[in-house]
Amino acid sequence: MTSVALLVRPGELRAVLGAGRADALDELVAGVVADPGTLGRVFPAAARRTARGELPGGGRIEDAVRVELVAAAASVLTPGALVEELGLVYHHGDADERRAVLLGLSALDDPQVDGSAILLDALRTNDIRLVTAAMGRHARTLSLHDWRHGVLKCLFVGAPLAQVADLAERADDELGAMVRRYVLERQAAGRSVPDDAHLVLELTHPTPPRES
C-alpha cells in the first residue's frame, strides 16, 4: 500500500545476482507479499540466500535485497502496520539489518509512514553506518529539534553530512549556533574541526568562530 523507491531496479539487481540467487530473491519477495509477518524471519537470511558485496554503481547488494523485501511488505501493509513490522525487524536485527531498515524507511514515499522512533534509536548509537542511514530522506519525519541533534551527532561520529537529506533546506540559525559551540569547544581543547562543521556554518551564515 506504500510505494518504495528501490535502491536498485529489480532487473538490474537480478542481473547482478545471477539466475539462481535471483530466483531465491523472487521467492523471498513472494513469501513476504503472501505473509508480511515473515519479514523478520527472512531479513536475517536474505544476504545468505542471495549475496553480499558491493554493487557496480555503489552501495551494498544485501541492502538492495533487503530494501526490496521492505517494498514487498509495504505493498500489502497499512502505513501503521508497516512501521510496527519494521520496528520489530529493526530491534531484533544486527547492525546490517538495522541499516537496511533505515534505508528502507528513507526509500518510502508515503507521508503517513512515520518511522521517526526508529530513527531516534539509531541516532542514539555511535555506529556511523546507522547514523548516516538515519539522516536520509525519512529524517524529514523528525522534529526540527531532533533533526538538528541528528546533524550534530553526524559531526560527533564522523558521519558525512553529504548524506544528510535536506541539509541546505532545513539548516537554520539554531543549528548554526549549536555547531558554532561545537567548533569552539573543539578549538579550546586543541582538537581539529571537521570540514563538515564549516559547511554548516556557511549554510547558516553565523559569524565565523575565531581561534583563541
Side-chain angles (χ1 to χ4, degrees), residues 13 21 33 59 62-63 73 81-82 85 88-89 92 94 105 108 110 120 122 139 145 159 179 189 192 201 209:
L13 178 56
R21 290 173 175 175
V33 170
E62 60 269 33
D63 288 337
L82 176 62
E85 186 65 33
L88 291 172
V89 174
H92 289 93
D94 62 18
L105 282 169
L108 297 175
D110 188 339
L120 290 174
H145 170 83
V179 173
S192 62
L201 296 180

Side-chain angles (χ1 to χ4, degrees), residues 142-163:
L142 297 175
S143 68
L144 192 50
H145 170 83
D146 288 333
W147 180 83
R148 291 188 196 108
H149 283 276
V151 173
L152 201 61
K153 187 60 176 277
C154 287
L155 293 176
F156 276 116
V157 302
L161 293 192
Q163 301 299 312

Side-chain angles (χ1 to χ4, degrees), residues 7-211:
L7 301 185
V8 181
R9 293 176 180 174
E12 293 176 2
L13 178 56
R14 282 153 181 75
V16 171
L17 292 175
R21 290 173 175 175
D23 289 342
L25 176 55
D26 287 338
E27 290 176 9
L28 291 171
V29 168
V32 171
V33 170
D35 182 2
T38 63
L39 183 64
R41 295 201 296 274
V42 302
F43 229 65
R48 184 176 68 253
R49 291 194 58 189
T50 55
R52 297 180 186 273
E54 294 286 338
L55 285 162
R60 304 286 304 176
I61 294 173
E62 60 269 33
D63 288 337
V65 166
R66 287 178 171 136
V67 169
E68 189 160 332
L69 294 177
V70 171
S75 71
V76 293
L77 290 175
T78 64
L82 176 62
V83 170
E84 182 177 356
E85 186 65 33
L86 291 178
L88 291 172
V89 174
Y90 174 88
H91 288 293
H92 289 93
D94 62 18
D96 285 345
E97 293 155 33
R98 290 184 173 199
R99 182 183 68 244
V101 168
L102 296 166
L103 293 172
L105 282 169
S106 280
L108 297 175
D109 186 20
D110 188 339
Q112 296 184 66
V113 175
D114 184 357
S116 56
I118 299 173
L119 303 189
L120 290 174
D121 185 89
L123 291 172
R124 285 191 286 270
T125 74
N126 290 315
D127 188 319
I128 293 176
R129 298 175 306 162
L130 296 187
V131 171
T132 301
M135 292 301 287
R137 289 177 57 215
H138 199 67
R140 65 187 57 168
T141 62
L142 297 175
S143 68
L144 192 50
H145 170 83
D146 288 333
W147 180 83
R148 291 188 196 108
H149 283 276
V151 173
L152 201 61
K153 187 60 176 277
C154 287
L155 293 176
F156 276 116
V157 302
L161 293 192
Q163 301 299 312
V164 174
D166 307 319
L167 179 63
E169 292 77 15
R170 295 192 79 178
D172 60 4
D173 289 344
E174 179 58 29
L175 176 63
M178 292 168 64
V179 173
R180 177 182 171 81
R181 290 192 292 271
Y182 164 81
V183 168
L184 292 173
E185 287 171 4
R186 291 187 68 89
Q187 290 175 342
R191 303 178 68 184
S192 62
V193 176
D195 290 340
D196 275 351
H198 296 296
L199 169 64
V200 175
L201 296 180
E202 290 172 4
L203 286 172
T204 54
H205 306 295
T207 302
R210 296 181 180 179
E211 296 280 355

